[in-house]
């Protein structure tokens, strides 16, 4: 329900911008191409629905008040469809990427009927909607914590999800790096029923480090994590690096800021020159936690539902038995591991962190239902995850994803043919694709560049957290830069979700932030 609601609201925001010329011509083409397929589902005069959305606490930060002032209700589907059908729009199967800064979300569309959606949070972009009743998202914790969801246009089941999430493990969200907290932890029996504790963002005690106190009557709070970061950028026209996305994760489920899990994560969306092959490169570094009792910290590659006997592929061999369990140490020099989930997406895991283990299982899972404390559900799932340990110290990972592939095609994939990692630390992640030598860069803080990155881009220093794509030209470079800071708050401003500051964030104007990029040599900007 929440996904449908968010989709409606985001689409209506796009429609409003298109109608009032609030976006550039290039953005109009991309937006309209996406809306063309969607527009047939829009209801005329959807005033009540949109009003309900805008009343919801978790949508206040999207600026619903402003959206409602733009006469959304007068935009009927007939007007939209007529406008869209009269324009020469790009194919919805053309490979491309798009970033939504107010959602902390990047979308990669390889053009084969699938999309990859990366989602993170920051001080002003929320993790996931917090539950308001005892029947919604009761175990939701890491749904927006660096997740990378792979979704098929043919449906939810075809994407690897069971319609009612039977047996789904909410602490293994695909793409997320997080402690595998047990949903059964603290379970107790009352009147013959097993009840499960609520999973709010800060437990019952709130913060203990003195930054702030408070919360609502249920203890649900939105921590102000001063170092959390999320941002993305779309590559310049013609670049093989379609886009990049980066996230500095701080554990919002922990009772503590100091000592809880943090990690630096990035995704790079890459195509080849003729647009026939695409991949996602997922990197992680500086994975650290002192909260050993939270559970083993895992980076989940996939958790796909097994409806019948759908097999997985492991290094060329098909496996359909349940149970199945295999693991590999992730030491340097170990061979690549190639996996395929139950719905046809391929993964190539590059051994990098000697303290991590790659685990692949096919198993029945029993977990508390997403909408109940006193009931469980079960289902068969195929799961692949990188286990970093209970208290990882500078853990890391690297893997590729090829959406909607075949076992034979996956067997031929070699990361060395696709890309080179130029930087992977808590200052920046950088990847150079090997065909045209374009470079995607996620900068987490002001920093100097590595020698290999300097050689590839001539960039010496970046003055603030930002995202860049650098494409070499015959004479010079084509560079795009995006600073993810929405400019709503000052760096030293502190607040929680129920403070006066948080309540007015969506009314504040976004203020520009200057980002300095220093390059070697003498350069002249060309518009």
């Amino acid at each position: 329900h929440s996904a449908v609601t968010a989709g409606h609201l985001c689409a209506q925001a796009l429609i409003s911008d298109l109608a009032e010329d609030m976006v550039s011509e290039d953005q109009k083409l991309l937006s309209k191409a996406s809306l063309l397929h969607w527009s047939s589902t829009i209801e005329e005069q959807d005033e009540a629905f949109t009003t309900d959305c805008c009343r919801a606490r978790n949508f206040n930060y999207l600026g619903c008040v402003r959206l409602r002032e733009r006469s959304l209700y007068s935009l009927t589907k007939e007007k939209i469809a007529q406008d869209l059908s009269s324009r020469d729009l790009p194919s919805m199967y053309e490979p491309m990427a798009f970033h939504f800064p107010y959602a902390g979300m990047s979308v990669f569309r390889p053009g084969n009927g699938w999309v990859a959606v990366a989602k993170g949070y920051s001080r002003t972009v929320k993790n996931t909607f917090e539950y308001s009743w005892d029947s919604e998202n009761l175990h939701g914790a890491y749904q927006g914590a660096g997740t990378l969801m792979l979704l098929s246009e043919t449906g939810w089941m075809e994407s690897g999800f069971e319609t009612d999430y039977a047996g789904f493990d909410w602490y293994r969200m695909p793409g997320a790096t997080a402690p595998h907290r047990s949903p059964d932890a603290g379970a107790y029996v009352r009147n013959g029923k097993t009840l499960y504790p609520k999973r709010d963002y800060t437990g019952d005690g709130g913060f203990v480090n003195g930054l702030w106190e408070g919360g609502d009557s249920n203890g649900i709070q939105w921590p102000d994590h001063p170092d959390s970061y999320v941002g993305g950028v779309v590559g310049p026209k013609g670049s093989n690096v379609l886009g990049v996305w980066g996230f500095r994760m701080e554990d919002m489920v922990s009772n503590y800021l100091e000592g809880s899990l943090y990690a630096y994560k990035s995704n790079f969306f890459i195509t080849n020159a003729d647009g026939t092959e695409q991949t996602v490169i997922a990197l992680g570094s500086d994975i650290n936690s002192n909260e050993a009792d939270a559970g083993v910290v895992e980076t989940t590659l996939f958790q796909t539902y097994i409806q019948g006997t759908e097999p997985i592929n492991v290094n060329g061999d098909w496996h359909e038995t349940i149970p199945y369990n295999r693991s590999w140490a992730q030491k340097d020099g170990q061979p690549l591991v190639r996996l395929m989930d139950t719905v046809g997406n391929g993964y190539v895991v590059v051994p990098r962190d000697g303290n991590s283990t790659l685990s692949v299982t096919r198993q029945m899972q029993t977990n508390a239902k997403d909408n109940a404390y006193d009931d469980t559900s079960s289902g068969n799932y195929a799961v692949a995850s990188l286990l970093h340990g209970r208290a990882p110290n500078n853990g890391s990972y690297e893997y590729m994803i090829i959406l909607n592939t075949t076992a034979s095609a996956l067997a031929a994939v070699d990361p060395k043919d696709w890309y080179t990692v130029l930087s992977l630390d808590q200052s920046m992640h950088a990847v150079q694709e090997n065909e045209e030598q374009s470079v995607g860069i996620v900068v987490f803080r002001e920093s100097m560049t590595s020698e290999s990155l300097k050689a590839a881009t001539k960039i010496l220093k970046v003055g603030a957290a930002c995202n860049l794509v650098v494409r070499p030209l015959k004479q010079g470079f084509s560079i795009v830069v995006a600073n993810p800071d929405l400019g709503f708050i000052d760096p030293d401003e502190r607040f929680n979700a129920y403070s006066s500051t948080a309540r007015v964030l969506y009314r504040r104007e976004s203020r520009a932030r200057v980002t300095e990029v220093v390059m070697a040599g003498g350069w002249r900007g060309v518009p």
Side-chain angles (χ1 to χ4, degrees):
H1 170 73
S2 63
V4 173
T5 303
H8 257 81
L9 191 62
C10 291
Q12 288 175 330
L14 281 172
I15 294 165
S16 178
D17 285 345
L18 293 171
E20 300 190 15
D21 293 325
M22 301 292 288
V23 297
S24 68
E25 287 301 319
D26 285 346
Q27 288 174 315
K28 283 184 181 182
L29 287 177
L30 292 175
S31 299
K32 289 178 178 177
S34 299
L35 287 169
L36 183 60
H37 179 71
W38 181 86
S39 61
S40 62
T41 66
I42 303 172
E43 297 180 6
E44 288 188 36
Q45 307 296 328
D46 202 5
E47 180 172 356
F49 184 84
T50 307
T51 300
D52 288 342
C53 290
C54 293
R55 287 174 179 164
R57 175 172 53 199
N58 50 299
F59 288 118
N60 283 346
Y61 303 95
L62 295 176
C64 292
V65 170
R66 295 176 188 169
L67 295 180
R68 291 170 66 185
E69 294 170 353
R70 293 181 183 177
S71 301
L72 284 176
Y73 315 136
S74 65
L75 298 170
T76 65
K77 66 178 182 180
E78 288 81 4
K79 178 181 177 182
I80 298 165
Q82 182 180 8
D83 181 54
L84 295 177
S85 61
S86 65
R87 297 179 178 268
D88 183 18
L89 302 175
S91 167
M92 65 181 296
Y93 296 105
E94 177 182 338
M96 62 177 61
F98 203 80
H99 182 66
F100 300 87
Y102 287 83
M105 180 174 69
S106 283
V107 177
F108 169 56
R109 189 178 72 190
N112 59 7
W114 284 74
V115 295
V117 182
K119 173 73 174 77
Y121 55 78
S122 67
R123 298 181 68 193
T124 50
V125 176
K126 295 192 71 174
N127 171 16
T128 182
F129 81 90
E130 57 200 35
Y131 57 81
S132 300
W133 300 274
D134 284 348
S135 60
E136 292 187 5
N137 201 34
L138 302 184
H139 305 282
Y142 298 110
Q143 292 156 333
T147 52
L148 184 61
M149 307 295 287
L150 309 182
L151 304 174
S152 169
E153 67 175 355
T154 56
W156 199 237
M157 291 284 288
E158 291 79 5
S159 302
F161 296 94
E162 203 276 331
T163 305
D164 296 321
Y165 312 107
F168 188 80
D169 189 338
W170 295 98
Y171 294 90
R172 282 187 172 135
M173 297 301 297
T177 299
H180 186 234
R181 300 176 184 270
S182 172
D184 296 333
Y188 57 97
V189 177
R190 177 185 295 170
N191 297 329
K193 291 186 177 181
T194 301
L195 303 179
Y196 298 85
K198 288 188 176 184
R199 297 295 190 186
D200 47 50
Y201 291 136
T202 59
D204 295 327
F207 278 107
V208 297
N209 62 0
L211 280 181
W212 53 267
E213 298 177 354
D216 70 0
S217 59
N218 293 321
I220 308 169
Q221 300 167 337
W222 177 19
D224 167 26
H225 284 193
D227 295 320
S228 59
Y229 159 101
V230 65
V233 70
V234 177
K237 188 174 182 179
S239 172
N240 283 7
V241 178
L242 298 176
V244 301
W245 176 90
F247 175 52
R248 199 249 190 215
M249 186 266 192
E250 291 183 319
D251 191 352
M252 296 186 76
V253 182
S254 173
N255 283 332
Y256 309 93
L257 275 179
E258 297 178 2
S260 64
L261 172 69
Y262 67 88
Y264 296 80
K265 298 168 67 67
S266 61
N267 296 313
F268 299 81
F269 310 129
I270 292 178
T271 185
N272 59 358
D274 60 10
T276 58
E277 296 180 311
Q278 294 79 34
T279 187
V280 181
I281 299 161
L283 300 178
S285 74
D286 299 87
I287 303 170
N288 291 276
S289 176
N290 291 325
E291 196 181 6
D293 59 350
V296 174
V297 175
E298 302 183 12
T299 299
T300 301
L301 280 65
F302 61 82
Q303 181 186 187
T304 54
Y305 179 66
I306 303 173
Q307 184 176 8
T309 60
E310 297 91 339
I312 59 173
N313 191 285
V314 179
N315 288 331
D317 296 326
W318 294 100
H319 299 276
E320 61 180 31
T321 58
I322 297 175
Y324 172 86
N325 191 349
R326 189 173 177 185
S327 61
W328 299 260
Q330 291 295 285
K331 296 180 179 179
D332 287 339
Q334 295 294 314
L336 302 172
V337 178
R338 293 178 172 84
L339 307 172
M340 184 178 293
D341 60 27
T342 60
V343 289
N345 297 310
Y347 307 76
V348 181
V349 184
V350 181
R352 174 173 286 277
D353 179 5
N355 295 318
S356 294
T357 300
L358 172 62
S359 171
V360 177
T361 62
R362 289 171 59 88
Q363 61 190 5
M364 174 177 281
Q365 299 179 168
T366 299
N367 287 298
K369 289 184 177 180
D370 67 299
N371 62 353
Y373 293 118
D374 58 353
D375 198 3
T376 61
S377 62
S378 299
N380 293 326
Y381 285 84
V383 179
S385 55
L386 288 158
L387 313 181
H388 304 290
R390 287 186 172 270
N393 181 24
N394 291 329
S396 62
Y397 65 82
E398 175 183 343
Y399 62 92
M400 295 177 64
I401 301 175
I402 299 88
L403 284 80
N404 194 18
T405 188
T406 64
S408 58
L410 181 64
V413 172
D414 188 338
K416 293 180 180 178
D417 297 334
W418 275 90
Y419 67 93
T420 303
V421 177
L422 301 181
S423 183
L424 185 64
D425 55 39
Q426 60 182 287
S427 295
M428 63 178 65
H429 291 182
V431 165
Q432 182 177 49
E433 62 83 28
N434 291 339
E435 186 174 24
E436 68 170 13
Q437 306 294 301
S438 289
V439 179
I441 310 170
V442 176
V443 181
F444 294 103
R445 56 173 56 88
E446 177 182 358
S447 57
M448 307 296 290
T449 58
S450 64
E451 292 301 321
S452 58
L453 191 53
K454 291 176 186 176
T457 64
K458 306 299 182 184
I459 295 176
L460 303 177
K461 177 184 177 181
V462 183
C466 64
N467 302 276
L468 306 92
V469 177
V470 182
R471 184 192 185 202
L473 305 175
K474 290 183 178 179
Q475 292 183 332
F477 296 91
S478 176
I479 303 176
V480 293
V481 184
N483 185 333
D485 190 337
L486 298 179
F488 289 147
I489 57 177
D490 296 325
D492 60 348
E493 193 171 357
R494 293 289 181 264
F495 63 94
N496 67 34
Y498 298 93
S499 67
S500 58
T501 299
R503 293 179 186 276
V504 299
L505 276 181
Y506 67 94
R507 294 181 180 273
R508 290 187 177 185
E509 294 295 328
S510 181
R511 291 165 290 180
R513 298 284 194 256
V514 175
T515 302
E516 181 185 54
V517 179
V518 180
M519 300 182 69
W523 299 91
R524 176 173 59 90
V526 179

